[in-house]
């Protein structure tokens, strides 16, 4: 398949963004409406018993045509769904394959079935778990509650998703979650028939209900079991059942009880632990009756609405935001730039926003120390507990109260003072307060062991540069990135550092700043060696390599070919 293939005469495939046993998913351009879409491609013969080439040609042709008709019928079912937590289906049909021609699903066989869907921007829940797990409790609850809304809409058709897993959930920038990949869903009513053949299990072993693993049978409570697996993973940082092989994982789903969450994370509320155990019941009848019931049990644990204006979006999307700021307008609009400077996050992105000038207010420090925590050590222990619980507003308030007291008693460079300041600065940055975080990081760099050029000092300087970046001080941020690159390169060459990851990150950020400053040619020449080095080291499908290719495509009119298969 060439990267310029046109599906149905209008959907230009640009990059493969996913694949599995049932097909491939491509990013594409709708050339009629000039919008980005996602196109899922399936070959009917790959869904037949024995795989391609098995059985008599005539019999396989008949089965292939029937599967095509069923596929299109089920696409009509899923296209009827209208819910903000579900991907919108735009089109479906059968493409003749191999060229610019295409069909509309006439059931002639021999081509590829295609499903055209909304391309959802954001971060996959899988990436969010890898970046930030275990989640703060209210964030995990918010994800599950939003998924309950989407599942309730799906189950009302009635349809079972059958493959609920982190990579099939996108979290948008505003915190809204979107459930992906209904293409392998099973229609339950008599007017719609299964696309997949009876007895062929569909799903992912880590999230597969026992009845799905044993007999490939499902009902809506199978999706609720997968939701329980997701909740467990978000709260504990790992899936409830793990084993070296897929078969081993399935056997544990069938035979072993899950470990109660409070044994792994004591601060999990008992009602939430009980809900996860109920969702992970081996027998469907022992699980909650439906998604509405699960939502009702999650409702008391959701964050309350905040009457304050909605602050700027955070570097990583926060699924609790829709509950804190329901129906509020988005944060103030910002001017668009061709290629802007990176946001505050560990990995740079090619398309970014300029900052909002006014930063949200930092919660004030308590006027007096909590009476139950009279000594500094106890208050520091309390601060650590708040960090572990993800209670960021309380972390900011207590840390702001502790810092002047700890400085007065121990001195600015004392290890305990630096620890409190680091917690304070990182929470400020995480919560979208770079203006307040910047001076804290500068003081940390000045008092770090080894000074501003030691490993701790360099890390604090890097985060200070991120603050400058987020505040829109592009020239200052660029100068600091360049100084940091020189320092890290020297440490690598001298053997003091062995991991070049930070130098790759800095080189990418510098290239993006050069582009934002109006010098795309220099930015291209700067970023191209980074892409080539990272592709050799990490392979063509690594997310950073794909991101670099996208950045270079923005700077150069010639499309990049997709990575080799």
């Amino acid at each position: 398949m060439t990267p310029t293939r046109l599906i149905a005469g209008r959907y230009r495939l640009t990059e493969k963004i996913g694949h599995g046993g049932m097909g491939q998913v491509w990013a594409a351009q709708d050339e009629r409406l000039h919008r980005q879409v996602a196109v899922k491609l399936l070959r009917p013969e790959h869904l037949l018993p024995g795989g391609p080439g098995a059985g008599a040609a005539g019999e396989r042709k008949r089965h292939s045509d029937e599967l095509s008709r069923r596929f299109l019928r089920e696409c009509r079912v899923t296209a009827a769904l209208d819910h903000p937590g579900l991907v919108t289906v735009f089109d479906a049909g059968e493409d003749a394959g191999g060229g610019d021609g295409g069909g509309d699903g006439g059931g002639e066989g021999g081509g590829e079935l295609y499903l055209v869907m909304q391309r959802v921007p954001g971060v996959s829940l899988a990436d969010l778990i890898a970046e930030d797990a275990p989640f703060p409790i209210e964030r995990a609850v918010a994800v599950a509650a939003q998924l309950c809304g989407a599942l309730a809409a799906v189950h009302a058709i009635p349809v079972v998703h059958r493959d609920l897993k982190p990579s099939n959930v996108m979290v948008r920038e505003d915190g809204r979650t979107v459930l992906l990949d209904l293409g392998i869903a099973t229609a339950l009513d008599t007017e719609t028939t299964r696309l997949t053949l009876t007895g062929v299990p569909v799903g992912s072993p880590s999230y597969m209900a026992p009845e799905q693993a044993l007999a490939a049978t499902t009902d809506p409570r199978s999706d609720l079991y997968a939701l329980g697996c997701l909740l467990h993973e978000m709260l504990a940082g790992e899936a409830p059942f793990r084993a070296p092989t897929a078969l081993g994982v399935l056997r544990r789903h069938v035979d072993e009880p899950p470990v109660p969450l409070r044994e792994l994370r004591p601060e999990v509320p008992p009602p939430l632990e009980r809900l996860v155990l109920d969702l992970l019941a081996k027998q469907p009848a022992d699980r909650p009756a439906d998604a509405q019931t699960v939502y009702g049990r999650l409702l008391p644990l959701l964050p309350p609405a905040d009457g304050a204006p909605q602050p700027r979006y955070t570097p990583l999307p926060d699924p609790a935001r829709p509950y804190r700021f329901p129906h509020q307008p988005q944060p103030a609009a910002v001017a668009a730039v061709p290629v802007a400077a990176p946001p505050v996050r560990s990995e740079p992105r090619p398309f970014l926003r300029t900052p909002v000038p006014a930063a949200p207010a930092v919660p004030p420090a308590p006027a007096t120390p909590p009476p139950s925590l009279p000594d500094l050590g106890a208050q520091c222990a309390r601060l650590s507990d708040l960090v572990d619980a993800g209670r960021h507003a309380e972390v900011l308030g207590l840390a702001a109260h502790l810092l002047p007291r700890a400085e007065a008693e121990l001195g600015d460079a004392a290890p305990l003072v630096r620890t409190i300041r680091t917690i304070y600065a990182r929470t400020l940055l995480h919560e979208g307060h770079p203006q307040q975080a910047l001076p804290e990081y500068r003081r940390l760099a000045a008092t770090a062991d080894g000074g501003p050029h030691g490993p701790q000092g360099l890390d604090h300087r890097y985060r200070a540069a991120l603050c400058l970046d987020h505040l829109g001080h592009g020239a200052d941020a660029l100068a600091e990135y360049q100084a940091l690159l020189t320092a890290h390169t020297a440490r690598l060459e001298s053997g003091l550092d062995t991991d070049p990851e930070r130098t790759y990150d800095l080189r990418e950020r510098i290239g993006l700043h050069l582009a934002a400053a109006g010098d795309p040619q220099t930015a291209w020449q700067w970023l191209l060696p980074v892409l080539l080095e990272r592709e050799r080291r990490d392979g063509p499908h690594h997310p950073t390599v794909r991101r670099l290719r996208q950045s270079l495509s923005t700077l150069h009119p010639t499309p990049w070919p997709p990575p080799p298969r």
Side-chain angles (χ1 to χ4, degrees), residues 129 134-135 140 225-241 258-262 264-265 276-277 279-280:
I129 288 173
F135 284 5
Y225 183 93
L227 180 64
C229 294
L230 282 184
L231 256 175
H232 187 288
E233 185 170 2
M234 288 186 288
L235 290 166
E238 61 184 37
F241 301 107
V259 177
L261 274 169
R262 287 169 58 81
L264 304 172
R265 188 176 175 185
V276 173
L277 291 174
L279 288 168
L280 295 178

PDB file of all heavy atoms in Angstrom, residues 129 134-135 140 225-241 258-262 264-265 276-277 279-280:
ATOM      1  N   ILE A 129      -1.406   6.856  31.429  1.00  0.00           N
ATOM      2  CA  ILE A 129      -1.059   5.927  32.504  1.00  0.00           C
ATOM      3  C   ILE A 129       0.452   5.754  32.579  1.00  0.00           C
ATOM      4  O   ILE A 129       1.053   5.768  33.666  1.00  0.00           O
ATOM      5  CB  ILE A 129      -1.762   4.573  32.294  1.00  0.00           C
ATOM      6  CG1 ILE A 129      -3.266   4.715  32.569  1.00  0.00           C
ATOM      7  CG2 ILE A 129      -1.165   3.493  33.177  1.00  0.00           C
ATOM      8  CD1 ILE A 129      -4.081   3.485  32.225  1.00  0.00           C
ATOM      9  N   PRO A 134       0.490   5.873  39.388  1.00  0.00           N
ATOM     10  CA  PRO A 134      -0.953   5.803  39.644  1.00  0.00           C
ATOM     11  C   PRO A 134      -1.594   7.182  39.670  1.00  0.00           C
ATOM     12  O   PRO A 134      -0.997   8.140  40.134  1.00  0.00           O
ATOM     13  CB  PRO A 134      -1.036   5.112  41.003  1.00  0.00           C
ATOM     14  CG  PRO A 134       0.261   5.428  41.671  1.00  0.00           C
ATOM     15  CD  PRO A 134       1.290   5.500  40.577  1.00  0.00           C
ATOM     16  N   PHE A 135      -2.833   7.248  39.193  1.00  0.00           N
ATOM     17  CA  PHE A 135      -3.530   8.518  39.099  1.00  0.00           C
ATOM     18  C   PHE A 135      -3.964   9.007  40.483  1.00  0.00           C
ATOM     19  O   PHE A 135      -4.227   8.201  41.382  1.00  0.00           O
ATOM     20  CB  PHE A 135      -4.802   8.375  38.245  1.00  0.00           C
ATOM     21  CG  PHE A 135      -4.566   8.304  36.775  1.00  0.00           C
ATOM     22  CD1 PHE A 135      -3.290   8.260  36.234  1.00  0.00           C
ATOM     23  CD2 PHE A 135      -5.650   8.279  35.900  1.00  0.00           C
ATOM     24  CE1 PHE A 135      -3.090   8.194  34.870  1.00  0.00           C
ATOM     25  CE2 PHE A 135      -5.464   8.208  34.531  1.00  0.00           C
ATOM     26  CZ  PHE A 135      -4.175   8.165  34.015  1.00  0.00           C
ATOM     27  N   ALA A 140      -8.816   9.208  38.357  1.00  0.00           N
ATOM     28  CA  ALA A 140      -9.215   7.870  37.917  1.00  0.00           C
ATOM     29  C   ALA A 140     -10.728   7.735  37.937  1.00  0.00           C
ATOM     30  O   ALA A 140     -11.334   7.158  37.017  1.00  0.00           O
ATOM     31  CB  ALA A 140      -8.561   6.812  38.816  1.00  0.00           C
ATOM     32  N   TYR A 225     -16.519  -5.359  33.235  1.00  0.00           N
ATOM     33  CA  TYR A 225     -15.330  -6.034  33.764  1.00  0.00           C
ATOM     34  C   TYR A 225     -14.062  -5.331  33.272  1.00  0.00           C
ATOM     35  O   TYR A 225     -13.135  -5.067  34.053  1.00  0.00           O
ATOM     36  CB  TYR A 225     -15.331  -7.496  33.315  1.00  0.00           C
ATOM     37  CG  TYR A 225     -14.176  -8.317  33.868  1.00  0.00           C
ATOM     38  CD1 TYR A 225     -14.306  -9.042  35.039  1.00  0.00           C
ATOM     39  CD2 TYR A 225     -12.954  -8.362  33.199  1.00  0.00           C
ATOM     40  CE1 TYR A 225     -13.251  -9.793  35.544  1.00  0.00           C
ATOM     41  CE2 TYR A 225     -11.890  -9.101  33.696  1.00  0.00           C
ATOM     42  CZ  TYR A 225     -12.042  -9.824  34.865  1.00  0.00           C
ATOM     43  OH  TYR A 225     -10.983 -10.548  35.358  1.00  0.00           O
ATOM     44  N   ALA A 226     -14.027  -5.006  31.978  1.00  0.00           N
ATOM     45  CA  ALA A 226     -12.869  -4.299  31.431  1.00  0.00           C
ATOM     46  C   ALA A 226     -12.713  -2.937  32.095  1.00  0.00           C
ATOM     47  O   ALA A 226     -11.593  -2.476  32.356  1.00  0.00           O
ATOM     48  CB  ALA A 226     -13.008  -4.144  29.913  1.00  0.00           C
ATOM     49  N   LEU A 227     -13.844  -2.263  32.390  1.00  0.00           N
ATOM     50  CA  LEU A 227     -13.778  -0.990  33.097  1.00  0.00           C
ATOM     51  C   LEU A 227     -13.160  -1.168  34.478  1.00  0.00           C
ATOM     52  O   LEU A 227     -12.372  -0.328  34.935  1.00  0.00           O
ATOM     53  CB  LEU A 227     -15.179  -0.386  33.203  1.00  0.00           C
ATOM     54  CG  LEU A 227     -15.286   0.961  33.915  1.00  0.00           C
ATOM     55  CD1 LEU A 227     -14.534   2.038  33.148  1.00  0.00           C
ATOM     56  CD2 LEU A 227     -16.755   1.364  34.083  1.00  0.00           C
ATOM     57  N   GLY A 228     -13.488  -2.270  35.153  1.00  0.00           N
ATOM     58  CA  GLY A 228     -12.859  -2.561  36.443  1.00  0.00           C
ATOM     59  C   GLY A 228     -11.360  -2.748  36.309  1.00  0.00           C
ATOM     60  O   GLY A 228     -10.590  -2.289  37.163  1.00  0.00           O
ATOM     61  N   CYS A 229     -10.919  -3.410  35.235  1.00  0.00           N
ATOM     62  CA  CYS A 229      -9.480  -3.561  34.985  1.00  0.00           C
ATOM     63  C   CYS A 229      -8.818  -2.196  34.801  1.00  0.00           C
ATOM     64  O   CYS A 229      -7.715  -1.946  35.313  1.00  0.00           O
ATOM     65  CB  CYS A 229      -9.239  -4.434  33.760  1.00  0.00           C
ATOM     66  SG  CYS A 229      -9.743  -6.163  33.941  1.00  0.00           S
ATOM     67  N   LEU A 230      -9.492  -1.311  34.047  1.00  0.00           N
ATOM     68  CA  LEU A 230      -8.948   0.028  33.834  1.00  0.00           C
ATOM     69  C   LEU A 230      -8.840   0.802  35.143  1.00  0.00           C
ATOM     70  O   LEU A 230      -7.827   1.460  35.419  1.00  0.00           O
ATOM     71  CB  LEU A 230      -9.830   0.814  32.864  1.00  0.00           C
ATOM     72  CG  LEU A 230      -9.709   0.512  31.375  1.00  0.00           C
ATOM     73  CD1 LEU A 230     -10.586   1.476  30.586  1.00  0.00           C
ATOM     74  CD2 LEU A 230      -8.290   0.631  30.909  1.00  0.00           C
ATOM     75  N   LEU A 231      -9.891   0.750  35.955  1.00  0.00           N
ATOM     76  CA  LEU A 231      -9.867   1.458  37.235  1.00  0.00           C
ATOM     77  C   LEU A 231      -8.732   0.947  38.117  1.00  0.00           C
ATOM     78  O   LEU A 231      -8.010   1.722  38.751  1.00  0.00           O
ATOM     79  CB  LEU A 231     -11.214   1.278  37.939  1.00  0.00           C
ATOM     80  CG  LEU A 231     -12.171   2.462  37.931  1.00  0.00           C
ATOM     81  CD1 LEU A 231     -13.503   2.081  38.560  1.00  0.00           C
ATOM     82  CD2 LEU A 231     -11.581   3.662  38.639  1.00  0.00           C
ATOM     83  N   HIS A 232      -8.577  -0.365  38.175  1.00  0.00           N
ATOM     84  CA  HIS A 232      -7.497  -0.954  38.971  1.00  0.00           C
ATOM     85  C   HIS A 232      -6.143  -0.460  38.481  1.00  0.00           C
ATOM     86  O   HIS A 232      -5.274  -0.063  39.281  1.00  0.00           O
ATOM     87  CB  HIS A 232      -7.577  -2.482  38.893  1.00  0.00           C
ATOM     88  CG  HIS A 232      -6.626  -3.194  39.811  1.00  0.00           C
ATOM     89  ND1 HIS A 232      -5.259  -3.238  39.603  1.00  0.00           N
ATOM     90  CD2 HIS A 232      -6.835  -3.876  40.963  1.00  0.00           C
ATOM     91  CE1 HIS A 232      -4.683  -3.940  40.557  1.00  0.00           C
ATOM     92  NE2 HIS A 232      -5.609  -4.326  41.399  1.00  0.00           N
ATOM     93  N   GLU A 233      -5.949  -0.423  37.161  1.00  0.00           N
ATOM     94  CA  GLU A 233      -4.660  -0.014  36.608  1.00  0.00           C
ATOM     95  C   GLU A 233      -4.399   1.469  36.865  1.00  0.00           C
ATOM     96  O   GLU A 233      -3.273   1.856  37.187  1.00  0.00           O
ATOM     97  CB  GLU A 233      -4.627  -0.307  35.111  1.00  0.00           C
ATOM     98  CG  GLU A 233      -3.279  -0.019  34.472  1.00  0.00           C
ATOM     99  CD  GLU A 233      -3.175  -0.526  33.051  1.00  0.00           C
ATOM    100  OE1 GLU A 233      -4.177  -1.069  32.537  1.00  0.00           O
ATOM    101  OE2 GLU A 233      -2.099  -0.381  32.454  1.00  0.00           O
ATOM    102  N   MET A 234      -5.426   2.309  36.728  1.00  0.00           N
ATOM    103  CA  MET A 234      -5.227   3.732  36.971  1.00  0.00           C
ATOM    104  C   MET A 234      -4.884   4.001  38.435  1.00  0.00           C
ATOM    105  O   MET A 234      -4.074   4.879  38.747  1.00  0.00           O
ATOM    106  CB  MET A 234      -6.481   4.514  36.563  1.00  0.00           C
ATOM    107  CG  MET A 234      -6.702   4.600  35.065  1.00  0.00           C
ATOM    108  SD  MET A 234      -8.091   5.678  34.610  1.00  0.00           S
ATOM    109  CE  MET A 234      -9.507   4.713  35.128  1.00  0.00           C
ATOM    110  N   LEU A 235      -5.494   3.249  39.349  1.00  0.00           N
ATOM    111  CA  LEU A 235      -5.301   3.508  40.777  1.00  0.00           C
ATOM    112  C   LEU A 235      -4.061   2.829  41.343  1.00  0.00           C
ATOM    113  O   LEU A 235      -3.420   3.361  42.250  1.00  0.00           O
ATOM    114  CB  LEU A 235      -6.540   3.039  41.542  1.00  0.00           C
ATOM    115  CG  LEU A 235      -7.799   3.872  41.310  1.00  0.00           C
ATOM    116  CD1 LEU A 235      -9.028   3.142  41.818  1.00  0.00           C
ATOM    117  CD2 LEU A 235      -7.680   5.233  41.977  1.00  0.00           C
ATOM    118  N   ALA A 236      -3.713   1.652  40.812  1.00  0.00           N
ATOM    119  CA  ALA A 236      -2.579   0.900  41.346  1.00  0.00           C
ATOM    120  C   ALA A 236      -1.326   1.035  40.503  1.00  0.00           C
ATOM    121  O   ALA A 236      -0.235   0.664  40.953  1.00  0.00           O
ATOM    122  CB  ALA A 236      -2.949  -0.585  41.478  1.00  0.00           C
ATOM    123  N   GLY A 237      -1.467   1.537  39.265  1.00  0.00           N
ATOM    124  CA  GLY A 237      -0.304   1.651  38.393  1.00  0.00           C
ATOM    125  C   GLY A 237       0.014   0.388  37.640  1.00  0.00           C
ATOM    126  O   GLY A 237       1.011   0.332  36.914  1.00  0.00           O
ATOM    127  N   GLU A 238      -0.799  -0.647  37.788  1.00  0.00           N
ATOM    128  CA  GLU A 238      -0.573  -1.914  37.066  1.00  0.00           C
ATOM    129  C   GLU A 238      -1.901  -2.625  36.881  1.00  0.00           C
ATOM    130  O   GLU A 238      -2.856  -2.419  37.644  1.00  0.00           O
ATOM    131  CB  GLU A 238       0.402  -2.811  37.831  1.00  0.00           C
ATOM    132  CG  GLU A 238      -0.078  -3.200  39.219  1.00  0.00           C
ATOM    133  CD  GLU A 238       0.940  -4.010  39.994  1.00  0.00           C
ATOM    134  OE1 GLU A 238       2.145  -3.747  39.884  1.00  0.00           O
ATOM    135  OE2 GLU A 238       0.514  -4.926  40.736  1.00  0.00           O
ATOM    136  N   ALA A 239      -1.971  -3.472  35.843  1.00  0.00           N
ATOM    137  CA  ALA A 239      -3.189  -4.230  35.570  1.00  0.00           C
ATOM    138  C   ALA A 239      -3.436  -5.227  36.702  1.00  0.00           C
ATOM    139  O   ALA A 239      -2.500  -5.661  37.392  1.00  0.00           O
ATOM    140  CB  ALA A 239      -3.070  -4.955  34.230  1.00  0.00           C
ATOM    141  N   PRO A 240      -4.696  -5.627  36.920  1.00  0.00           N
ATOM    142  CA  PRO A 240      -4.979  -6.530  38.046  1.00  0.00           C
ATOM    143  C   PRO A 240      -4.386  -7.920  37.885  1.00  0.00           C
ATOM    144  O   PRO A 240      -4.096  -8.589  38.880  1.00  0.00           O
ATOM    145  CB  PRO A 240      -6.508  -6.580  38.077  1.00  0.00           C
ATOM    146  CG  PRO A 240      -6.949  -6.167  36.713  1.00  0.00           C
ATOM    147  CD  PRO A 240      -5.923  -5.197  36.227  1.00  0.00           C
ATOM    148  N   PHE A 241      -4.203  -8.364  36.637  1.00  0.00           N
ATOM    149  CA  PHE A 241      -3.653  -9.698  36.405  1.00  0.00           C
ATOM    150  C   PHE A 241      -2.514  -9.593  35.402  1.00  0.00           C
ATOM    151  O   PHE A 241      -2.686  -9.058  34.309  1.00  0.00           O
ATOM    152  CB  PHE A 241      -4.738 -10.649  35.875  1.00  0.00           C
ATOM    153  CG  PHE A 241      -5.904 -10.801  36.812  1.00  0.00           C
ATOM    154  CD1 PHE A 241      -7.126 -10.211  36.514  1.00  0.00           C
ATOM    155  CD2 PHE A 241      -5.778 -11.503  37.996  1.00  0.00           C
ATOM    156  CE1 PHE A 241      -8.202 -10.326  37.377  1.00  0.00           C
ATOM    157  CE2 PHE A 241      -6.848 -11.640  38.867  1.00  0.00           C
ATOM    158  CZ  PHE A 241      -8.064 -11.047  38.559  1.00  0.00           C
ATOM    159  N   PRO A 258      -8.778 -10.881  42.253  1.00  0.00           N
ATOM    160  CA  PRO A 258      -7.881  -9.720  42.201  1.00  0.00           C
ATOM    161  C   PRO A 258      -7.420  -9.322  43.607  1.00  0.00           C
ATOM    162  O   PRO A 258      -8.097  -9.595  44.604  1.00  0.00           O
ATOM    163  CB  PRO A 258      -8.754  -8.631  41.582  1.00  0.00           C
ATOM    164  CG  PRO A 258     -10.148  -9.016  41.971  1.00  0.00           C
ATOM    165  CD  PRO A 258     -10.173 -10.521  41.975  1.00  0.00           C
ATOM    166  N   VAL A 259      -6.272  -8.685  43.678  1.00  0.00           N
ATOM    167  CA  VAL A 259      -5.783  -8.146  44.945  1.00  0.00           C
ATOM    168  C   VAL A 259      -6.594  -6.894  45.276  1.00  0.00           C
ATOM    169  O   VAL A 259      -6.697  -5.987  44.446  1.00  0.00           O
ATOM    170  CB  VAL A 259      -4.281  -7.804  44.861  1.00  0.00           C
ATOM    171  CG1 VAL A 259      -3.801  -7.179  46.168  1.00  0.00           C
ATOM    172  CG2 VAL A 259      -3.471  -9.049  44.525  1.00  0.00           C
ATOM    173  N   PRO A 260      -7.190  -6.811  46.473  1.00  0.00           N
ATOM    174  CA  PRO A 260      -7.935  -5.587  46.822  1.00  0.00           C
ATOM    175  C   PRO A 260      -7.039  -4.357  46.742  1.00  0.00           C
ATOM    176  O   PRO A 260      -5.877  -4.384  47.157  1.00  0.00           O
ATOM    177  CB  PRO A 260      -8.404  -5.867  48.256  1.00  0.00           C
ATOM    178  CG  PRO A 260      -8.442  -7.369  48.357  1.00  0.00           C
ATOM    179  CD  PRO A 260      -7.295  -7.851  47.512  1.00  0.00           C
ATOM    180  N   LEU A 261      -7.605  -3.282  46.220  1.00  0.00           N
ATOM    181  CA  LEU A 261      -6.798  -2.096  45.951  1.00  0.00           C
ATOM    182  C   LEU A 261      -6.171  -1.508  47.208  1.00  0.00           C
ATOM    183  O   LEU A 261      -5.053  -0.991  47.176  1.00  0.00           O
ATOM    184  CB  LEU A 261      -7.670  -1.024  45.275  1.00  0.00           C
ATOM    185  CG  LEU A 261      -7.785  -1.118  43.754  1.00  0.00           C
ATOM    186  CD1 LEU A 261      -8.875  -0.192  43.251  1.00  0.00           C
ATOM    187  CD2 LEU A 261      -6.452  -0.767  43.096  1.00  0.00           C
ATOM    188  N   ARG A 262      -6.850  -1.565  48.340  1.00  0.00           N
ATOM    189  CA  ARG A 262      -6.319  -0.937  49.547  1.00  0.00           C
ATOM    190  C   ARG A 262      -5.097  -1.665  50.087  1.00  0.00           C
ATOM    191  O   ARG A 262      -4.337  -1.104  50.892  1.00  0.00           O
ATOM    192  CB  ARG A 262      -7.407  -0.837  50.614  1.00  0.00           C
ATOM    193  CG  ARG A 262      -8.442   0.241  50.278  1.00  0.00           C
ATOM    194  CD  ARG A 262      -9.671   0.181  51.175  1.00  0.00           C
ATOM    195  NE  ARG A 262      -9.354   0.302  52.586  1.00  0.00           N
ATOM    196  CZ  ARG A 262      -9.126   1.445  53.218  1.00  0.00           C
ATOM    197  NH1 ARG A 262      -9.192   2.594  52.535  1.00  0.00           N
ATOM    198  NH2 ARG A 262      -8.853   1.474  54.500  1.00  0.00           N
ATOM    199  N   LEU A 264      -2.759  -2.442  48.026  1.00  0.00           N
ATOM    200  CA  LEU A 264      -1.725  -1.853  47.180  1.00  0.00           C
ATOM    201  C   LEU A 264      -1.612  -0.345  47.386  1.00  0.00           C
ATOM    202  O   LEU A 264      -0.525   0.227  47.216  1.00  0.00           O
ATOM    203  CB  LEU A 264      -2.047  -2.123  45.695  1.00  0.00           C
ATOM    204  CG  LEU A 264      -2.223  -3.592  45.312  1.00  0.00           C
ATOM    205  CD1 LEU A 264      -2.739  -3.697  43.880  1.00  0.00           C
ATOM    206  CD2 LEU A 264      -0.912  -4.352  45.464  1.00  0.00           C
ATOM    207  N   ARG A 265      -2.729   0.291  47.777  1.00  0.00           N
ATOM    208  CA  ARG A 265      -2.751   1.747  47.940  1.00  0.00           C
ATOM    209  C   ARG A 265      -3.760   2.076  49.032  1.00  0.00           C
ATOM    210  O   ARG A 265      -4.956   2.220  48.761  1.00  0.00           O
ATOM    211  CB  ARG A 265      -3.136   2.400  46.606  1.00  0.00           C
ATOM    212  CG  ARG A 265      -2.999   3.914  46.593  1.00  0.00           C
ATOM    213  CD  ARG A 265      -3.306   4.462  45.212  1.00  0.00           C
ATOM    214  NE  ARG A 265      -3.286   5.912  45.225  1.00  0.00           N
ATOM    215  CZ  ARG A 265      -3.603   6.674  44.179  1.00  0.00           C
ATOM    216  NH1 ARG A 265      -3.947   6.097  43.027  1.00  0.00           N
ATOM    217  NH2 ARG A 265      -3.569   7.982  44.264  1.00  0.00           N
ATOM    218  N   VAL A 276     -14.520  -1.736  42.510  1.00  0.00           N
ATOM    219  CA  VAL A 276     -13.588  -2.412  41.599  1.00  0.00           C
ATOM    220  C   VAL A 276     -13.690  -3.923  41.775  1.00  0.00           C
ATOM    221  O   VAL A 276     -13.698  -4.674  40.786  1.00  0.00           O
ATOM    222  CB  VAL A 276     -12.154  -1.906  41.837  1.00  0.00           C
ATOM    223  CG1 VAL A 276     -11.161  -2.725  41.009  1.00  0.00           C
ATOM    224  CG2 VAL A 276     -12.043  -0.426  41.463  1.00  0.00           C
ATOM    225  N   LEU A 277     -13.782  -4.390  43.017  1.00  0.00           N
ATOM    226  CA  LEU A 277     -13.927  -5.833  43.236  1.00  0.00           C
ATOM    227  C   LEU A 277     -15.225  -6.355  42.635  1.00  0.00           C
ATOM    228  O   LEU A 277     -15.262  -7.460  42.062  1.00  0.00           O
ATOM    229  CB  LEU A 277     -13.868  -6.143  44.734  1.00  0.00           C
ATOM    230  CG  LEU A 277     -12.501  -5.942  45.406  1.00  0.00           C
ATOM    231  CD1 LEU A 277     -12.610  -6.149  46.905  1.00  0.00           C
ATOM    232  CD2 LEU A 277     -11.458  -6.895  44.816  1.00  0.00           C
ATOM    233  N   LEU A 279     -16.814  -5.047  40.034  1.00  0.00           N
ATOM    234  CA  LEU A 279     -16.656  -5.039  38.578  1.00  0.00           C
ATOM    235  C   LEU A 279     -15.830  -6.230  38.106  1.00  0.00           C
ATOM    236  O   LEU A 279     -16.036  -6.738  36.994  1.00  0.00           O
ATOM    237  CB  LEU A 279     -15.995  -3.732  38.138  1.00  0.00           C
ATOM    238  CG  LEU A 279     -16.851  -2.469  38.225  1.00  0.00           C
ATOM    239  CD1 LEU A 279     -15.983  -1.226  38.042  1.00  0.00           C
ATOM    240  CD2 LEU A 279     -17.957  -2.489  37.183  1.00  0.00           C
ATOM    241  N   LEU A 280     -14.893  -6.689  38.924  1.00  0.00           N
ATOM    242  CA  LEU A 280     -13.998  -7.786  38.539  1.00  0.00           C
ATOM    243  C   LEU A 280     -14.528  -9.146  38.996  1.00  0.00           C
ATOM    244  O   LEU A 280     -13.757 -10.126  39.024  1.00  0.00           O
ATOM    245  CB  LEU A 280     -12.603  -7.549  39.120  1.00  0.00           C
ATOM    246  CG  LEU A 280     -11.862  -6.324  38.565  1.00  0.00           C
ATOM    247  CD1 LEU A 280     -10.507  -6.158  39.243  1.00  0.00           C
ATOM    248  CD2 LEU A 280     -11.670  -6.442  37.054  1.00  0.00           C
TER     249      LEU A 280
END
